[in-house]
Amino acid sequence: MIEEEEIDLLLKDLYEVYGYDFTQYARASLKRRINRLWTLDKFPSFAELRYRVRSDPDYLKRFVEELTVNVTEMFRDPMYYRTLRAEVLPTLMAKPFIRIWHAGCSTGEEVFSMAILLKEARLLHKSILYATDLNPEVLESARQGIFSMSTMKQYSENYILSGGTTDFSTYYTAHYGRVKFNEELAEKMVFSTHNLVSDRSFNEFDLILCRNVLIYFTKTLQERVLTLFDESLAPLSYLGLGSKETLKFSSIQPRYKQLEGEKIWRKIG
C-alpha cells in the first residue's frame, strides 16, 4: 500500500513536472486509484513508481487517465435526458444561438447524446457544443466519435427511454465491430483541454453539464468549480450535475432553482 506521504510526493511531482494539480481532489478516491495502479502494474518499490511517473511519458498518460477516469455512456440516466428534452431545450428555442459546455466530457458519449437531442429538437443547426476534459487522450477518442458496437444495444435502450423515437442506428455507421457517429453531429462540437482546477471561464453558456466529476473533489474545490460555472452561465440558463452532486450549501445556491426530480438547476438570479 502507498503511504500518505508518498501520495504527497506523487502529487507534488505531477504538479511541478507536468502542471497537473490533483491536490484538491478527494483524498480517499485518489488513494484508492493510485493503489489500484500499484497493484496492477506490480511495482517492486515506490521509488520505481515515482521514477516511471516522472520520466516515462507513456506511463504518465496511463497514470493520469487512471486518476481522472469517469464511467460514462450514451443517454446515461434516461430520465435525465427526458427532462432535458421536455423542460430545458424548449426554453432555449427562442435564442438565436445556443452554447453548451460539457465539462469533464471523458470519451464523449454524453456530448453525442446531447447533439442527438438537439437534432431532434431542430436546434442543432444553431448550436455549438464545447467538450472539455483534463485528459488529452480521452479527448482525442471523443473527437473521433467512434465507439464499440457491443455498447449500442444498451445505448439504444437508453435512447428510447429518454424519449427518442427515431431508429437509433440511423445516427451511426457500423464497421468491423465499431461504430462511427454521423459527421453532422460531430461538426457542431469543439473539443479542448480544460482544467477545472486551474483554468478560467472561456465563454457564456446556456447549459453546462458536468456529471459525476465534482464527487472526486474536496468541498473547497467543488465551491471553486461551481463559482466558475456560475460565472460562465447566462441569465436563465441551466446547470446539470451528477446524481450524487448538489448545489446545497454552496454560495451559488440562492441564485438557482432546481427542476423537479433531476439534478438540473436554472439560474434565476
Side-chain angles (χ1 to χ4, degrees), residues 180-227:
K180 181 172 177 59
F181 276 79
N182 299 347
E183 199 60 37
E184 176 190 14
L185 304 175
E187 68 185 12
K188 290 296 183 177
M189 301 173 187
V190 176
F191 293 92
S192 177
T193 55
H194 183 276
N195 188 338
L196 288 171
V197 176
S198 57
D199 292 343
R200 296 182 178 182
S201 175
F202 57 93
N203 215 320
E204 185 176 75
F205 298 95
D206 303 295
L207 170 63
I208 295 177
L209 293 170
C210 183
R211 302 179 66 201
N212 303 313
V213 176
L214 297 183
I215 55 174
Y216 299 112
F217 295 167
T218 63
K219 293 294 183 187
T220 301
L221 183 53
Q222 287 177 16
E223 177 68 27
R224 190 192 312 173
V225 173
L226 289 173
T227 300

Side-chain angles (χ1 to χ4, degrees), residues 40 81 105 118 126 142 145 154 186 196 210 217 226 239 247-248:
L40 283 175
Y81 282 90
C105 71
L118 290 165
K126 64 172 185 176
Q154 179 65 57
L196 288 171
C210 183
F217 295 167
L226 289 173
L239 173 62
L247 294 191
K248 283 183 180 177

Side-chain angles (χ1 to χ4, degrees), residues 39-229:
T39 303
L40 283 175
D41 296 344
K42 298 180 171 62
F43 284 102
S45 67
F46 170 73
E48 179 66 20
L49 168 61
R50 189 180 181 198
Y51 175 78
R52 287 286 299 281
V53 169
R54 288 183 66 95
S55 62
D56 183 341
D58 289 332
Y59 192 76
L60 171 72
K61 288 177 186 176
R62 171 170 167 72
F63 192 82
V64 170
E65 201 165 295
E66 182 64 28
L67 295 195
T68 60
V69 66
N70 287 308
V71 177
T72 184
E73 61 184 43
M74 294 193 75
F75 298 96
R76 177 175 53 167
D77 305 325
M79 295 304 106
Y80 195 94
Y81 282 90
R82 189 178 279 271
T83 300
L84 289 172
R85 280 185 195 274
E87 298 188 43
V88 175
L89 295 189
T91 70
L92 302 182
M93 283 183 177
K95 290 181 176 287
F97 197 72
I98 300 167
R99 293 182 178 86
I100 298 173
W101 179 15
H102 284 263
C105 71
S106 191
T107 43
E109 285 87 341
E110 295 188 52
V111 187
F112 279 89
S113 302
M114 177 56 68
I116 290 170
L117 288 194
L118 290 165
K119 178 174 170 56
E120 293 183 356
R122 298 181 180 175
L123 297 174
L124 185 61
H125 68 283
K126 64 172 185 176
S127 301
I128 186 162
L129 295 91
Y130 295 86
T132 66
D133 201 276
L134 171 68
N135 190 331
E137 296 295 304
V138 298
L139 274 177
E140 186 52 42
S141 175
R143 187 179 284 113
Q144 293 173 12
I146 298 174
F147 305 103
S148 171
M149 184 69 199
S150 64
T151 61
M152 287 305 115
K153 182 175 183 294
Q154 179 65 57
Y155 292 177
S156 179
E157 291 173 2
N158 289 354
Y159 164 75
I160 291 166
L161 288 171
S162 79
T165 56
T166 304
D167 180 351
F168 189 60
S169 65
T170 61
Y171 289 115
Y172 61 79
T173 304
H175 196 61
Y176 293 120
R178 308 281 281 171
V179 305
K180 181 172 177 59
F181 276 79
N182 299 347
E183 199 60 37
E184 176 190 14
L185 304 175
E187 68 185 12
K188 290 296 183 177
M189 301 173 187
V190 176
F191 293 92
S192 177
T193 55
H194 183 276
N195 188 338
L196 288 171
V197 176
S198 57
D199 292 343
R200 296 182 178 182
S201 175
F202 57 93
N203 215 320
E204 185 176 75
F205 298 95
D206 303 295
L207 170 63
I208 295 177
L209 293 170
C210 183
R211 302 179 66 201
N212 303 313
V213 176
L214 297 183
I215 55 174
Y216 299 112
F217 295 167
T218 63
K219 293 294 183 187
T220 301
L221 183 53
Q222 287 177 16
E223 177 68 27
R224 190 192 312 173
V225 173
L226 289 173
T227 300
L228 167 68
F229 291 157

Side-chain angles (χ1 to χ4, degrees), residues 238-268:
Y238 294 88
L239 173 62
L241 301 178
S243 60
K244 296 179 181 178
E245 298 164 337
T246 185
L247 294 191
K248 283 183 180 177
F249 313 116
S250 72
S251 64
I252 75 169
Q253 182 189 2
R255 295 191 293 282
Y256 289 79
K257 181 179 180 182
Q258 187 172 359
L259 303 190
E260 192 166 340
E262 295 296 342
K263 294 298 185 75
I264 302 170
W265 288 262
R266 194 172 198 193
K267 186 174 184 177
I268 55 174

